[in-house]
Amino acid sequence: MSGSADDGLDLTDAVRLLRRQLAAAQRDAQHSDVRFRVGEVTVELAVQLTRTGNEGR
């Protein structure tokens, strides 16, 4: 992933991770009696900004 643990997750990594998890869930359910089709997926993300120092001031 692009950011460090302190940086959180950047948008590219978040979307990539979501895609991987959806694909894994579909694979895991291939032989299950209960399955769901994935249609359109809407994602709502929150952004948090923090300042860690006086850099650039």
mmCIF file of all heavy atoms in Angstrom:
data_model
loop_
_atom_site.group_PDB
_atom_site.id
_atom_site.type_symbol
_atom_site.label_atom_id
_atom_site.label_comp_id
_atom_site.label_asym_id
_atom_site.label_seq_id
_atom_site.Cartn_x
_atom_site.Cartn_y
_atom_site.Cartn_z
ATOM 1 N N MET A 1 0.831 -1.170 0.000
ATOM 2 C CA MET A 1 0.000 0.000 0.000
ATOM 3 C C MET A 1 0.876 1.234 0.000
ATOM 4 O O MET A 1 1.989 1.223 0.466
ATOM 5 C CB MET A 1 -0.912 -0.018 1.211
ATOM 6 C CG MET A 1 -1.935 -1.127 1.125
ATOM 7 S SD MET A 1 -3.153 -0.947 2.405
ATOM 8 C CE MET A 1 -3.862 -2.562 2.266
ATOM 9 N N SER A 2 0.319 2.306 -0.475
ATOM 10 C CA SER A 2 1.126 3.498 -0.671
ATOM 11 C C SER A 2 1.504 4.207 0.612
ATOM 12 O O SER A 2 2.613 4.647 0.777
ATOM 13 C CB SER A 2 0.382 4.486 -1.579
ATOM 14 O OG SER A 2 0.181 3.907 -2.824
ATOM 15 N N GLY A 3 0.564 4.350 1.555
ATOM 16 C CA GLY A 3 0.837 5.114 2.763
ATOM 17 C C GLY A 3 1.360 4.234 3.874
ATOM 18 O O GLY A 3 1.244 3.028 3.855
ATOM 19 N N SER A 4 1.964 4.893 4.869
ATOM 20 C CA SER A 4 2.392 4.153 6.041
ATOM 21 C C SER A 4 1.193 3.935 6.952
ATOM 22 O O SER A 4 0.120 4.469 6.713
ATOM 23 C CB SER A 4 3.486 4.936 6.781
ATOM 24 O OG SER A 4 2.910 6.070 7.416
ATOM 25 N N ALA A 5 1.371 3.169 8.011
ATOM 26 C CA ALA A 5 0.269 2.896 8.940
ATOM 27 C C ALA A 5 -0.282 4.192 9.522
ATOM 28 O O ALA A 5 -1.474 4.318 9.753
ATOM 29 C CB ALA A 5 0.751 1.959 10.043
ATOM 30 N N ASP A 6 0.596 5.181 9.744
ATOM 31 C CA ASP A 6 0.152 6.454 10.304
ATOM 32 C C ASP A 6 -0.596 7.299 9.284
ATOM 33 O O ASP A 6 -1.377 8.162 9.647
ATOM 34 C CB ASP A 6 1.348 7.248 10.833
ATOM 35 C CG ASP A 6 1.979 6.583 12.051
ATOM 36 O OD1 ASP A 6 1.274 5.827 12.745
ATOM 37 O OD2 ASP A 6 3.164 6.823 12.294
ATOM 38 N N ASP A 7 -0.358 7.068 8.001
ATOM 39 C CA ASP A 7 -0.982 7.861 6.953
ATOM 40 C C ASP A 7 -2.397 7.407 6.645
ATOM 41 O O ASP A 7 -3.137 8.115 5.984
ATOM 42 C CB ASP A 7 -0.166 7.781 5.650
ATOM 43 C CG ASP A 7 1.183 8.469 5.772
ATOM 44 O OD1 ASP A 7 1.324 9.339 6.640
ATOM 45 O OD2 ASP A 7 2.082 8.123 5.001
ATOM 46 N N GLY A 8 -2.787 6.231 7.058
ATOM 47 C CA GLY A 8 -4.102 5.711 6.701
ATOM 48 C C GLY A 8 -4.045 5.060 5.338
ATOM 49 O O GLY A 8 -3.006 4.568 4.901
ATOM 50 N N LEU A 9 -5.152 5.085 4.652
ATOM 51 C CA LEU A 9 -5.298 4.397 3.373
ATOM 52 C C LEU A 9 -5.621 5.424 2.300
ATOM 53 O O LEU A 9 -6.567 6.194 2.455
ATOM 54 C CB LEU A 9 -6.446 3.389 3.519
ATOM 55 C CG LEU A 9 -6.620 2.312 2.489
ATOM 56 C CD1 LEU A 9 -5.410 1.381 2.472
ATOM 57 C CD2 LEU A 9 -7.854 1.490 2.814
ATOM 58 N N ASP A 10 -4.837 5.460 1.219
ATOM 59 C CA ASP A 10 -5.177 6.423 0.177
ATOM 60 C C ASP A 10 -6.305 5.870 -0.697
ATOM 61 O O ASP A 10 -6.666 4.699 -0.598
ATOM 62 C CB ASP A 10 -3.951 6.842 -0.632
ATOM 63 C CG ASP A 10 -3.367 5.755 -1.504
ATOM 64 O OD1 ASP A 10 -4.080 4.798 -1.847
ATOM 65 O OD2 ASP A 10 -2.189 5.866 -1.868
ATOM 66 N N LEU A 11 -6.894 6.718 -1.511
ATOM 67 C CA LEU A 11 -8.075 6.353 -2.290
ATOM 68 C C LEU A 11 -7.809 5.176 -3.225
ATOM 69 O O LEU A 11 -8.613 4.242 -3.313
ATOM 70 C CB LEU A 11 -8.571 7.561 -3.089
ATOM 71 C CG LEU A 11 -9.798 7.333 -3.954
ATOM 72 C CD1 LEU A 11 -10.985 6.891 -3.107
ATOM 73 C CD2 LEU A 11 -10.145 8.592 -4.726
ATOM 74 N N THR A 12 -6.690 5.185 -3.907
ATOM 75 C CA THR A 12 -6.353 4.094 -4.829
ATOM 76 C C THR A 12 -6.298 2.764 -4.100
ATOM 77 O O THR A 12 -6.861 1.766 -4.562
ATOM 78 C CB THR A 12 -4.994 4.372 -5.508
ATOM 79 O OG1 THR A 12 -5.073 5.622 -6.197
ATOM 80 C CG2 THR A 12 -4.622 3.279 -6.475
ATOM 81 N N ASP A 13 -5.637 2.745 -2.953
ATOM 82 C CA ASP A 13 -5.532 1.508 -2.183
ATOM 83 C C ASP A 13 -6.891 1.069 -1.645
ATOM 84 O O ASP A 13 -7.189 -0.122 -1.605
ATOM 85 C CB ASP A 13 -4.545 1.673 -1.036
ATOM 86 C CG ASP A 13 -3.106 1.788 -1.519
ATOM 87 O OD1 ASP A 13 -2.807 1.292 -2.628
ATOM 88 O OD2 ASP A 13 -2.282 2.364 -0.793
ATOM 89 N N ALA A 14 -7.717 2.011 -1.230
ATOM 90 C CA ALA A 14 -9.038 1.674 -0.697
ATOM 91 C C ALA A 14 -9.900 1.012 -1.764
ATOM 92 O O ALA A 14 -10.537 -0.017 -1.518
ATOM 93 C CB ALA A 14 -9.727 2.927 -0.153
ATOM 94 N N VAL A 15 -9.910 1.563 -2.968
ATOM 95 C CA VAL A 15 -10.707 0.995 -4.064
ATOM 96 C C VAL A 15 -10.142 -0.359 -4.477
ATOM 97 O O VAL A 15 -10.878 -1.322 -4.691
ATOM 98 C CB VAL A 15 -10.773 1.968 -5.257
ATOM 99 C CG1 VAL A 15 -11.420 1.319 -6.460
ATOM 100 C CG2 VAL A 15 -11.531 3.231 -4.861
ATOM 101 N N ARG A 16 -8.827 -0.471 -4.568
ATOM 102 C CA ARG A 16 -8.189 -1.741 -4.918
ATOM 103 C C ARG A 16 -8.538 -2.821 -3.888
ATOM 104 O O ARG A 16 -8.874 -3.946 -4.241
ATOM 105 C CB ARG A 16 -6.675 -1.547 -5.000
ATOM 106 C CG ARG A 16 -5.918 -2.796 -5.435
ATOM 107 C CD ARG A 16 -4.423 -2.552 -5.520
ATOM 108 N NE ARG A 16 -4.121 -1.560 -6.541
ATOM 109 C CZ ARG A 16 -3.424 -0.444 -6.318
ATOM 110 N NH1 ARG A 16 -2.945 -0.172 -5.115
ATOM 111 N NH2 ARG A 16 -3.194 0.403 -7.284
ATOM 112 N N LEU A 17 -8.464 -2.477 -2.614
ATOM 113 C CA LEU A 17 -8.784 -3.419 -1.551
ATOM 114 C C LEU A 17 -10.252 -3.841 -1.610
ATOM 115 O O LEU A 17 -10.570 -5.025 -1.464
ATOM 116 C CB LEU A 17 -8.459 -2.796 -0.195
ATOM 117 C CG LEU A 17 -8.700 -3.651 1.039
ATOM 118 C CD1 LEU A 17 -7.888 -4.937 0.979
ATOM 119 C CD2 LEU A 17 -8.357 -2.862 2.286
ATOM 120 N N LEU A 18 -11.137 -2.899 -1.851
ATOM 121 C CA LEU A 18 -12.563 -3.220 -1.970
ATOM 122 C C LEU A 18 -12.815 -4.177 -3.132
ATOM 123 O O LEU A 18 -13.544 -5.162 -2.989
ATOM 124 C CB LEU A 18 -13.379 -1.941 -2.157
ATOM 125 C CG LEU A 18 -14.876 -2.129 -2.349
ATOM 126 C CD1 LEU A 18 -15.497 -2.831 -1.147
ATOM 127 C CD2 LEU A 18 -15.545 -0.793 -2.601
ATOM 128 N N ARG A 19 -12.191 -3.930 -4.275
ATOM 129 C CA ARG A 19 -12.342 -4.825 -5.428
ATOM 130 C C ARG A 19 -11.858 -6.232 -5.106
ATOM 131 O O ARG A 19 -12.483 -7.224 -5.441
ATOM 132 C CB ARG A 19 -11.565 -4.284 -6.624
ATOM 133 C CG ARG A 19 -12.220 -3.109 -7.274
ATOM 134 C CD ARG A 19 -11.401 -2.679 -8.480
ATOM 135 N NE ARG A 19 -12.054 -1.579 -9.160
ATOM 136 C CZ ARG A 19 -11.423 -0.538 -9.663
ATOM 137 N NH1 ARG A 19 -10.111 -0.461 -9.572
ATOM 138 N NH2 ARG A 19 -12.095 0.419 -10.272
ATOM 139 N N ARG A 20 -10.680 -6.319 -4.453
ATOM 140 C CA ARG A 20 -10.135 -7.626 -4.080
ATOM 141 C C ARG A 20 -11.061 -8.373 -3.133
ATOM 142 O O ARG A 20 -11.253 -9.578 -3.247
ATOM 143 C CB ARG A 20 -8.769 -7.460 -3.430
ATOM 144 C CG ARG A 20 -7.635 -7.617 -4.428
ATOM 145 C CD ARG A 20 -6.340 -7.684 -3.683
ATOM 146 N NE ARG A 20 -6.069 -6.307 -3.266
ATOM 147 C CZ ARG A 20 -4.918 -5.853 -2.849
ATOM 148 N NH1 ARG A 20 -3.904 -6.647 -2.724
ATOM 149 N NH2 ARG A 20 -4.759 -4.607 -2.529
ATOM 150 N N GLN A 21 -11.613 -7.654 -2.162
ATOM 151 C CA GLN A 21 -12.497 -8.290 -1.193
ATOM 152 C C GLN A 21 -13.808 -8.746 -1.836
ATOM 153 O O GLN A 21 -14.324 -9.815 -1.498
ATOM 154 C CB GLN A 21 -12.752 -7.356 -0.015
ATOM 155 C CG GLN A 21 -11.518 -7.190 0.849
ATOM 156 C CD GLN A 21 -11.724 -6.216 1.991
ATOM 157 O OE1 GLN A 21 -12.679 -5.447 2.024
ATOM 158 N NE2 GLN A 21 -10.809 -6.246 2.941
ATOM 159 N N LEU A 22 -14.350 -7.955 -2.756
ATOM 160 C CA LEU A 22 -15.565 -8.375 -3.469
ATOM 161 C C LEU A 22 -15.297 -9.617 -4.316
ATOM 162 O O LEU A 22 -16.093 -10.557 -4.325
ATOM 163 C CB LEU A 22 -16.088 -7.243 -4.359
ATOM 164 C CG LEU A 22 -16.825 -6.128 -3.640
ATOM 165 C CD1 LEU A 22 -17.058 -4.961 -4.592
ATOM 166 C CD2 LEU A 22 -18.144 -6.623 -3.072
ATOM 167 N N ALA A 23 -14.164 -9.638 -5.007
ATOM 168 C CA ALA A 23 -13.809 -10.796 -5.829
ATOM 169 C C ALA A 23 -13.604 -12.032 -4.958
ATOM 170 O O ALA A 23 -14.057 -13.129 -5.306
ATOM 171 C CB ALA A 23 -12.545 -10.498 -6.645
ATOM 172 N N ALA A 24 -12.959 -11.870 -3.810
ATOM 173 C CA ALA A 24 -12.743 -13.000 -2.900
ATOM 174 C C ALA A 24 -14.071 -13.517 -2.362
ATOM 175 O O ALA A 24 -14.277 -14.730 -2.263
ATOM 176 C CB ALA A 24 -11.833 -12.579 -1.749
ATOM 177 N N ALA A 25 -14.988 -12.629 -2.048
ATOM 178 C CA ALA A 25 -16.300 -13.050 -1.549
ATOM 179 C C ALA A 25 -17.054 -13.836 -2.617
ATOM 180 O O ALA A 25 -17.699 -14.851 -2.317
ATOM 181 C CB ALA A 25 -17.109 -11.837 -1.109
ATOM 182 N N GLN A 26 -16.949 -13.399 -3.869
ATOM 183 C CA GLN A 26 -17.601 -14.133 -4.956
ATOM 184 C C GLN A 26 -16.984 -15.519 -5.123
ATOM 185 O O GLN A 26 -17.696 -16.508 -5.294
ATOM 186 C CB GLN A 26 -17.508 -13.351 -6.266
ATOM 187 C CG GLN A 26 -18.437 -12.165 -6.309
ATOM 188 C CD GLN A 26 -18.319 -11.405 -7.612
ATOM 189 O OE1 GLN A 26 -17.212 -11.081 -8.064
ATOM 190 N NE2 GLN A 26 -19.451 -11.124 -8.226
ATOM 191 N N ARG A 27 -15.666 -15.609 -5.082
ATOM 192 C CA ARG A 27 -14.990 -16.908 -5.195
ATOM 193 C C ARG A 27 -15.374 -17.830 -4.043
ATOM 194 O O ARG A 27 -15.652 -19.005 -4.243
ATOM 195 C CB ARG A 27 -13.470 -16.727 -5.219
ATOM 196 C CG ARG A 27 -12.905 -16.341 -6.550
ATOM 197 C CD ARG A 27 -11.389 -16.460 -6.565
ATOM 198 N NE ARG A 27 -10.733 -15.761 -5.470
ATOM 199 C CZ ARG A 27 -10.437 -14.466 -5.463
ATOM 200 N NH1 ARG A 27 -10.747 -13.715 -6.496
ATOM 201 N NH2 ARG A 27 -9.828 -13.913 -4.433
ATOM 202 N N ASP A 28 -15.391 -17.291 -2.833
ATOM 203 C CA ASP A 28 -15.719 -18.099 -1.651
ATOM 204 C C ASP A 28 -17.137 -18.650 -1.719
ATOM 205 O O ASP A 28 -17.425 -19.705 -1.162
ATOM 206 C CB ASP A 28 -15.565 -17.281 -0.373
ATOM 207 C CG ASP A 28 -14.112 -16.948 -0.060
ATOM 208 O OD1 ASP A 28 -13.210 -17.533 -0.711
ATOM 209 O OD2 ASP A 28 -13.881 -16.100 0.815
ATOM 210 N N ALA A 29 -18.029 -17.940 -2.389
ATOM 211 C CA ALA A 29 -19.440 -18.335 -2.422
ATOM 212 C C ALA A 29 -19.777 -19.257 -3.593
ATOM 213 O O ALA A 29 -20.920 -19.691 -3.715
ATOM 214 C CB ALA A 29 -20.310 -17.085 -2.482
ATOM 215 N N GLN A 30 -18.820 -19.586 -4.446
ATOM 216 C CA GLN A 30 -19.110 -20.385 -5.640
ATOM 217 C C GLN A 30 -19.803 -21.699 -5.317
ATOM 218 O O GLN A 30 -20.657 -22.151 -6.062
ATOM 219 C CB GLN A 30 -17.829 -20.652 -6.435
ATOM 220 C CG GLN A 30 -17.381 -19.461 -7.230
ATOM 221 C CD GLN A 30 -16.094 -19.737 -7.992
ATOM 222 O OE1 GLN A 30 -15.379 -20.682 -7.691
ATOM 223 N NE2 GLN A 30 -15.804 -18.910 -8.974
ATOM 224 N N HIS A 31 -19.455 -22.327 -4.219
ATOM 225 C CA HIS A 31 -20.029 -23.626 -3.888
ATOM 226 C C HIS A 31 -20.961 -23.550 -2.677
ATOM 227 O O HIS A 31 -21.256 -24.562 -2.063
ATOM 228 C CB HIS A 31 -18.911 -24.641 -3.643
ATOM 229 C CG HIS A 31 -18.006 -24.778 -4.831
ATOM 230 N ND1 HIS A 31 -18.407 -25.364 -6.009
ATOM 231 C CD2 HIS A 31 -16.743 -24.350 -5.045
ATOM 232 C CE1 HIS A 31 -17.421 -25.319 -6.881
ATOM 233 N NE2 HIS A 31 -16.400 -24.705 -6.325
ATOM 234 N N SER A 32 -21.400 -22.352 -2.367
ATOM 235 C CA SER A 32 -22.286 -22.154 -1.225
ATOM 236 C C SER A 32 -23.749 -22.235 -1.666
ATOM 237 O O SER A 32 -24.085 -21.929 -2.812
ATOM 238 C CB SER A 32 -22.018 -20.777 -0.608
ATOM 239 O OG SER A 32 -22.934 -20.519 0.435
ATOM 240 N N ASP A 33 -24.608 -22.653 -0.775
ATOM 241 C CA ASP A 33 -26.042 -22.669 -1.063
ATOM 242 C C ASP A 33 -26.632 -21.264 -1.073
ATOM 243 O O ASP A 33 -27.673 -21.031 -1.671
ATOM 244 C CB ASP A 33 -26.787 -23.505 -0.022
ATOM 245 C CG ASP A 33 -26.438 -24.987 -0.132
ATOM 246 O OD1 ASP A 33 -26.009 -25.419 -1.224
ATOM 247 O OD2 ASP A 33 -26.590 -25.699 0.867
ATOM 248 N N VAL A 34 -25.984 -20.335 -0.381
ATOM 249 C CA VAL A 34 -26.462 -18.951 -0.323
ATOM 250 C C VAL A 34 -25.471 -18.074 -1.079
ATOM 251 O O VAL A 34 -24.299 -17.996 -0.711
ATOM 252 C CB VAL A 34 -26.571 -18.470 1.144
ATOM 253 C CG1 VAL A 34 -27.039 -17.026 1.191
ATOM 254 C CG2 VAL A 34 -27.499 -19.376 1.930
ATOM 255 N N ARG A 35 -25.946 -17.454 -2.158
ATOM 256 C CA ARG A 35 -25.082 -16.585 -2.955
ATOM 257 C C ARG A 35 -25.832 -15.311 -3.304
ATOM 258 O O ARG A 35 -27.047 -15.287 -3.358
ATOM 259 C CB ARG A 35 -24.648 -17.280 -4.236
ATOM 260 C CG ARG A 35 -23.795 -18.504 -3.956
ATOM 261 C CD ARG A 35 -23.154 -19.050 -5.180
ATOM 262 N NE ARG A 35 -24.088 -19.265 -6.279
ATOM 263 C CZ ARG A 35 -23.752 -19.822 -7.419
ATOM 264 N NH1 ARG A 35 -22.517 -20.210 -7.606
ATOM 265 N NH2 ARG A 35 -24.631 -19.996 -8.363
ATOM 266 N N PHE A 36 -25.080 -14.267 -3.552
ATOM 267 C CA PHE A 36 -25.637 -12.980 -3.939
ATOM 268 C C PHE A 36 -24.959 -12.519 -5.210
ATOM 269 O O PHE A 36 -23.763 -12.735 -5.388
ATOM 270 C CB PHE A 36 -25.382 -11.924 -2.849
ATOM 271 C CG PHE A 36 -25.936 -12.308 -1.508
ATOM 272 C CD1 PHE A 36 -25.137 -12.933 -0.561
ATOM 273 C CD2 PHE A 36 -27.254 -12.036 -1.192
ATOM 274 C CE1 PHE A 36 -25.625 -13.288 0.671
ATOM 275 C CE2 PHE A 36 -27.762 -12.383 0.046
ATOM 276 C CZ PHE A 36 -26.948 -13.008 0.978
ATOM 277 N N ARG A 37 -25.707 -11.887 -6.068
ATOM 278 C CA ARG A 37 -25.111 -11.246 -7.246
ATOM 279 C C ARG A 37 -24.677 -9.843 -6.896
ATOM 280 O O ARG A 37 -25.383 -9.141 -6.196
ATOM 281 C CB ARG A 37 -26.156 -11.142 -8.354
ATOM 282 C CG ARG A 37 -26.079 -12.303 -9.230
ATOM 283 C CD ARG A 37 -26.880 -12.132 -10.436
ATOM 284 N NE ARG A 37 -26.886 -13.530 -10.865
ATOM 285 C CZ ARG A 37 -27.337 -13.991 -11.943
ATOM 286 N NH1 ARG A 37 -27.925 -13.201 -12.765
ATOM 287 N NH2 ARG A 37 -27.246 -15.247 -12.239
ATOM 288 N N VAL A 38 -23.527 -9.483 -7.404
ATOM 289 C CA VAL A 38 -23.058 -8.121 -7.174
ATOM 290 C C VAL A 38 -23.453 -7.290 -8.383
ATOM 291 O O VAL A 38 -23.063 -7.593 -9.508
ATOM 292 C CB VAL A 38 -21.525 -8.088 -6.973
ATOM 293 C CG1 VAL A 38 -21.046 -6.661 -6.799
ATOM 294 C CG2 VAL A 38 -21.126 -8.937 -5.777
ATOM 295 N N GLY A 39 -24.233 -6.275 -8.135
ATOM 296 C CA GLY A 39 -24.622 -5.344 -9.187
ATOM 297 C C GLY A 39 -23.802 -4.080 -9.029
ATOM 298 O O GLY A 39 -22.603 -4.124 -8.750
ATOM 299 N N GLU A 40 -24.468 -2.987 -9.136
ATOM 300 C CA GLU A 40 -23.798 -1.702 -8.955
ATOM 301 C C GLU A 40 -23.420 -1.545 -7.489
ATOM 302 O O GLU A 40 -24.192 -1.870 -6.592
ATOM 303 C CB GLU A 40 -24.740 -0.570 -9.356
ATOM 304 C CG GLU A 40 -24.130 0.795 -9.237
ATOM 305 C CD GLU A 40 -25.079 1.886 -9.727
ATOM 306 O OE1 GLU A 40 -25.812 1.636 -10.687
ATOM 307 O OE2 GLU A 40 -25.060 2.958 -9.120
ATOM 308 N N VAL A 41 -22.217 -1.063 -7.253
ATOM 309 C CA VAL A 41 -21.730 -0.859 -5.895
ATOM 310 C C VAL A 41 -21.512 0.634 -5.694
ATOM 311 O O VAL A 41 -20.835 1.282 -6.489
ATOM 312 C CB VAL A 41 -20.408 -1.625 -5.649
ATOM 313 C CG1 VAL A 41 -19.842 -1.312 -4.276
ATOM 314 C CG2 VAL A 41 -20.618 -3.121 -5.828
ATOM 315 N N THR A 42 -22.104 1.162 -4.649
ATOM 316 C CA THR A 42 -21.915 2.567 -4.299
ATOM 317 C C THR A 42 -21.081 2.616 -3.027
ATOM 318 O O THR A 42 -21.397 1.942 -2.049
ATOM 319 C CB THR A 42 -23.265 3.262 -4.055
ATOM 320 O OG1 THR A 42 -24.061 3.147 -5.235
ATOM 321 C CG2 THR A 42 -23.080 4.728 -3.715
ATOM 322 N N VAL A 43 -20.030 3.399 -3.055
ATOM 323 C CA VAL A 43 -19.117 3.490 -1.916
ATOM 324 C C VAL A 43 -19.118 4.921 -1.416
ATOM 325 O O VAL A 43 -19.011 5.866 -2.192
ATOM 326 C CB VAL A 43 -17.682 3.083 -2.334
ATOM 327 C CG1 VAL A 43 -16.721 3.228 -1.173
ATOM 328 C CG2 VAL A 43 -17.677 1.670 -2.876
ATOM 329 N N GLU A 44 -19.222 5.054 -0.115
ATOM 330 C CA GLU A 44 -19.154 6.370 0.508
ATOM 331 C C GLU A 44 -17.919 6.390 1.394
ATOM 332 O O GLU A 44 -17.759 5.531 2.273
ATOM 333 C CB GLU A 44 -20.406 6.603 1.354
ATOM 334 C CG GLU A 44 -20.582 8.025 1.789
ATOM 335 C CD GLU A 44 -21.939 8.240 2.424
ATOM 336 O OE1 GLU A 44 -22.948 7.790 1.861
ATOM 337 O OE2 GLU A 44 -21.964 8.853 3.504
ATOM 338 N N LEU A 45 -17.029 7.321 1.142
ATOM 339 C CA LEU A 45 -15.783 7.402 1.899
ATOM 340 C C LEU A 45 -15.743 8.703 2.686
ATOM 341 O O LEU A 45 -16.270 9.722 2.249
ATOM 342 C CB LEU A 45 -14.578 7.354 0.951
ATOM 343 C CG LEU A 45 -14.476 6.110 0.071
ATOM 344 C CD1 LEU A 45 -13.396 6.285 -0.965
ATOM 345 C CD2 LEU A 45 -14.214 4.879 0.914
ATOM 346 N N ALA A 46 -15.108 8.665 3.830
ATOM 347 C CA ALA A 46 -14.905 9.860 4.641
ATOM 348 C C ALA A 46 -13.427 10.225 4.593
ATOM 349 O O ALA A 46 -12.568 9.353 4.500
ATOM 350 C CB ALA A 46 -15.332 9.606 6.083
ATOM 351 N N VAL A 47 -13.154 11.498 4.656
ATOM 352 C CA VAL A 47 -11.776 11.983 4.617
ATOM 353 C C VAL A 47 -11.483 12.703 5.922
ATOM 354 O O VAL A 47 -12.291 13.491 6.408
ATOM 355 C CB VAL A 47 -11.569 12.952 3.429
ATOM 356 C CG1 VAL A 47 -10.165 13.519 3.437
ATOM 357 C CG2 VAL A 47 -11.874 12.256 2.122
ATOM 358 N N GLN A 48 -10.331 12.408 6.488
ATOM 359 C CA GLN A 48 -9.916 13.075 7.715
ATOM 360 C C GLN A 48 -8.560 13.712 7.466
ATOM 361 O O GLN A 48 -7.630 13.056 7.003
ATOM 362 C CB GLN A 48 -9.817 12.079 8.865
ATOM 363 C CG GLN A 48 -9.377 12.714 10.150
ATOM 364 C CD GLN A 48 -9.345 11.715 11.292
ATOM 365 O OE1 GLN A 48 -9.848 10.611 11.183
ATOM 366 N NE2 GLN A 48 -8.751 12.103 12.389
ATOM 367 N N LEU A 49 -8.447 14.981 7.769
ATOM 368 C CA LEU A 49 -7.185 15.698 7.618
ATOM 369 C C LEU A 49 -6.625 16.002 8.997
ATOM 370 O O LEU A 49 -7.353 16.410 9.895
ATOM 371 C CB LEU A 49 -7.401 17.012 6.871
ATOM 372 C CG LEU A 49 -8.023 16.896 5.478
ATOM 373 C CD1 LEU A 49 -8.292 18.272 4.914
ATOM 374 C CD2 LEU A 49 -7.104 16.116 4.563
ATOM 375 N N THR A 50 -5.342 15.784 9.145
ATOM 376 C CA THR A 50 -4.680 16.111 10.410
ATOM 377 C C THR A 50 -3.378 16.837 10.116
ATOM 378 O O THR A 50 -2.749 16.612 9.080
ATOM 379 C CB THR A 50 -4.378 14.842 11.240
ATOM 380 O OG1 THR A 50 -3.582 13.964 10.461
ATOM 381 C CG2 THR A 50 -5.638 14.128 11.652
ATOM 382 N N ARG A 51 -2.989 17.685 11.010
ATOM 383 C CA ARG A 51 -1.711 18.376 10.890
ATOM 384 C C ARG A 51 -0.807 17.839 11.983
ATOM 385 O O ARG A 51 -1.205 17.770 13.147
ATOM 386 C CB ARG A 51 -1.878 19.882 11.062
ATOM 387 C CG ARG A 51 -0.560 20.616 10.936
ATOM 388 C CD ARG A 51 -0.714 22.080 11.154
ATOM 389 N NE ARG A 51 -1.474 22.627 10.042
ATOM 390 C CZ ARG A 51 -1.689 23.914 9.871
ATOM 391 N NH1 ARG A 51 -1.237 24.787 10.749
ATOM 392 N NH2 ARG A 51 -2.380 24.342 8.855
ATOM 393 N N THR A 52 0.405 17.436 11.603
ATOM 394 C CA THR A 52 1.301 16.823 12.569
ATOM 395 C C THR A 52 2.436 17.751 12.991
ATOM 396 O O THR A 52 3.220 17.391 13.840
ATOM 397 C CB THR A 52 1.901 15.515 12.015
ATOM 398 O OG1 THR A 52 2.572 15.808 10.801
ATOM 399 C CG2 THR A 52 0.805 14.495 11.775
ATOM 400 N N GLY A 53 2.523 18.914 12.396
ATOM 401 C CA GLY A 53 3.598 19.828 12.753
ATOM 402 C C GLY A 53 3.340 21.171 12.134
ATOM 403 O O GLY A 53 2.284 21.441 11.589
ATOM 404 N N ASN A 54 4.328 22.036 12.201
ATOM 405 C CA ASN A 54 4.204 23.380 11.646
ATOM 406 C C ASN A 54 4.920 23.526 10.324
ATOM 407 O O ASN A 54 5.330 24.609 9.958
ATOM 408 C CB ASN A 54 4.751 24.420 12.636
ATOM 409 C CG ASN A 54 3.853 24.550 13.844
ATOM 410 O OD1 ASN A 54 2.634 24.386 13.736
ATOM 411 N ND2 ASN A 54 4.431 24.842 14.987
ATOM 412 N N GLU A 55 5.093 22.426 9.594
ATOM 413 C CA GLU A 55 5.794 22.477 8.312
ATOM 414 C C GLU A 55 5.039 23.373 7.347
ATOM 415 O O GLU A 55 3.826 23.327 7.244
ATOM 416 C CB GLU A 55 5.912 21.079 7.732
ATOM 417 C CG GLU A 55 6.738 20.148 8.590
ATOM 418 C CD GLU A 55 6.705 18.727 8.089
ATOM 419 O OE1 GLU A 55 6.290 18.497 6.945
ATOM 420 O OE2 GLU A 55 7.083 17.841 8.866
ATOM 421 N N GLY A 56 5.761 24.208 6.639
ATOM 422 C CA GLY A 56 5.147 25.078 5.642
ATOM 423 C C GLY A 56 4.497 26.308 6.215
ATOM 424 O O GLY A 56 3.868 27.078 5.529
ATOM 425 N N ARG A 57 4.618 26.529 7.493
ATOM 426 C CA ARG A 57 4.044 27.722 8.133
ATOM 427 C C ARG A 57 5.059 28.769 8.334
ATOM 428 O O ARG A 57 6.163 28.604 8.572
ATOM 429 C CB ARG A 57 3.465 27.353 9.490
ATOM 430 C CG ARG A 57 2.024 27.030 9.396
ATOM 431 C CD ARG A 57 1.482 26.895 10.763
ATOM 432 N NE ARG A 57 0.312 27.752 10.840
ATOM 433 C CZ ARG A 57 -0.423 27.857 11.895
ATOM 434 N NH1 ARG A 57 -0.118 27.214 12.982
ATOM 435 N NH2 ARG A 57 -1.474 28.617 11.914
#
